[in-house]
Amino acid sequence: MKIGDLSRLTGTRVETIRFYEKEGLIPAPSRTGGNYRVYDQAHLNRLSFIRRSRDLGFTLDQVRALLDLSDDRLRSCGAVDELAREQLRSVERKIEDLQALQRELASLLNQCSQGTIAECRIIEALAPG
Amino acid sequence: MKIGDLSRLTGTRVETIRFYEKEGLIPAPSRTGGNYRVYDQAHLNRLSFIRRSRDLGFTLDQVRALLDLSDDRLRSCGAVDELAREQLRSVERKIEDLQALQRELASLLNQCSQGTIAECRIIEALAPG
DNA sequence: ATGCACCCTGAAGCCACTATAGGGTCAAGC
DNA sequence: GCTTGACCCTATAGTGGCTTCAGGGTGCAT
Ligand SMILES: [Zn+2]
Ligand SMILES: [Zn+2]
Ligand SMILES: [Zn+2]
Ligand SMILES: [Zn+2]
């Protein structure tokens, strides 16, 4: 597999794959005579794991930790679950913050009666008073 | 007012105030003999406006636009409202994405029965198969 | 004179990529 | 055998919105 194949199979940009390699998330693959990267199934599996973790919102440092943990098949999964619980809490906090924003913006938009800037409730809410 | 006073009054870090100046969001203030920045009420008002806009989730480019619009007191506030509506839509999209994440993480955590890594539902969900 | 809180500049670092410049490789078609 | 075009390579810089750091200077009290 060349890098473009891996890209298509995982929905990851070519540049991102090279970036993951530089960051040590994916082992450097072997090369062809023309200096092209050649990947195998293990690379594909690892990149898929990384992408799914990123899709769940884990940071690259958390992904590194998850990759390490996933190798240790016989250990208890407590650490994995703790990472996931932490991520869930962080997502829930972000949702709450955004919902507060949503309420405030919606309320301002609702109050504005399409007049001039001088009477605009949104500008009024931003300006100090 | 010195920069530290402005910082305390607005809850903005000193470095952030200097950053806003460099970005052209706040006009460069006059200086004392010892080269300290001196701010007045107009600076305080402008920084407050910026911070409230940021708290509502507007980007610095949007803040720039809002500041420009807010000067033009007699114009219709249509452009302001459109920025706010756009921001509301963006917030709502983010909430939906995060709620999907929340459901997925919660479901995985719920399925995991605290065994070994080999049986962990979370690792299983990440690994390709 | 010394300490200490505060201020200054300029540059680099953070995250997770993305983009750009300036090239090289390889198979197909003429 | 030469060109075209899709693909690949490296190295570097840019994104947003700051934060941190290095290496100083200022100003007031003791
Ligand atoms: Zn990094
Ligand atoms: Zn309005
Ligand atoms: Zn588990
Ligand atoms: Zn920037």
Side-chain angles (χ1 to χ4, degrees):
Chain A
M1 255 184 302
K2 283 187 293 181
I3 199 166
D5 303 320
L6 198 55
S7 166
R8 271 181 295 278
L9 284 168
T10 60
T12 311
R13 285 168 163 275
V14 164
E15 297 85 356
T16 304
I17 298 175
R18 289 195 283 246
F19 167 75
Y20 287 162
E21 180 183 328
K22 208 172 48 180
E23 291 286 304
L25 282 157
I26 293 176
S30 53
R31 303 280 183 128
T32 66
N35 201 30
Y36 286 14
R37 288 171 178 83
V38 190
Y39 297 99
D40 59 19
Q41 185 66 38
H43 289 101
L44 174 55
N45 291 349
R46 196 167 173 98
L47 180 54
S48 301
F49 188 105
I50 294 170
R51 290 265 101 191
R52 291 184 207 201
S53 305
R54 292 286 301 126
D55 285 348
L56 285 174
F58 290 102
T59 67
L60 287 188
D61 274 354
Q62 289 174 322
V63 174
R64 256 179 269 270
L66 286 170
L67 282 165
D68 281 357
L69 287 165
S70 75
D71 283 343
D72 212 346
R73 310 283 297 162
L74 294 178
R75 260 188 49 179
S76 127
C77 74
V80 172
D81 296 18
E82 183 45 38
L83 277 172
R85 255 192 305 275
E86 194 184 310
Q87 171 59 9
L88 178 57
R89 278 193 299 271
S90 146
V91 166
E92 282 169 346
R93 250 179 282 122
K94 278 179 195 153
I95 289 173
E96 278 165 32
D97 290 352
L98 286 172
Q99 280 171 340
L101 270 192
Q102 180 190 24
R103 280 190 296 273
E104 202 162 347
L105 284 165
S107 151
L108 289 175
L109 276 164
N110 204 39
Q111 288 170 52
C112 172
S113 49
Q114 317 287 358
T116 65
I117 294 274
E119 332 162 295
C120 179
R121 280 290 294 130
I122 294 159
I123 291 292
E124 205 175 307
L126 294 172
Chain B
M1 253 184 302
K2 281 188 293 181
I3 199 166
D5 303 320
L6 198 56
S7 165
R8 271 181 295 279
L9 284 169
T10 60
T12 312
R13 286 167 161 275
V14 164
E15 297 86 357
T16 305
I17 299 176
R18 289 196 283 247
F19 167 76
Y20 287 162
E21 180 183 329
K22 208 171 47 179
E23 291 287 301
L25 282 158
I26 294 177
S30 53
R31 302 283 182 126
T32 66
N35 201 29
Y36 286 13
R37 287 171 178 84
V38 190
Y39 296 99
D40 59 20
Q41 184 66 37
H43 289 101
L44 175 54
N45 290 350
R46 197 167 172 95
L47 180 55
S48 301
F49 187 105
I50 294 169
R51 289 266 102 191
R52 291 183 208 202
S53 305
R54 292 287 300 128
D55 285 348
L56 285 175
F58 290 102
T59 67
L60 287 188
D61 274 353
Q62 289 175 322
V63 174
R64 255 180 269 270
L66 287 170
L67 282 165
D68 281 357
L69 287 166
S70 76
D71 283 342
D72 213 346
R73 310 282 297 161
L74 294 178
R75 258 186 49 177
S76 128
C77 73
V80 172
D81 296 17
E82 183 45 38
L83 276 172
R85 255 192 304 276
E86 194 184 311
Q87 172 59 9
L88 179 57
R89 278 193 298 271
S90 145
V91 166
E92 283 168 347
R93 250 178 283 120
K94 279 180 194 153
I95 289 173
E96 277 165 33
D97 290 353
L98 287 172
Q99 280 171 340
L101 271 192
Q102 180 190 24
R103 279 190 296 273
E104 201 161 350
L105 284 165
S107 152
L108 289 175
L109 277 164
N110 204 37
Q111 288 171 52
C112 172
S113 50
Q114 318 288 355
T116 63
I117 294 274
E119 330 162 297
C120 180
R121 280 291 293 131
I122 295 159
I123 292 291
E124 204 174 308
L126 295 172

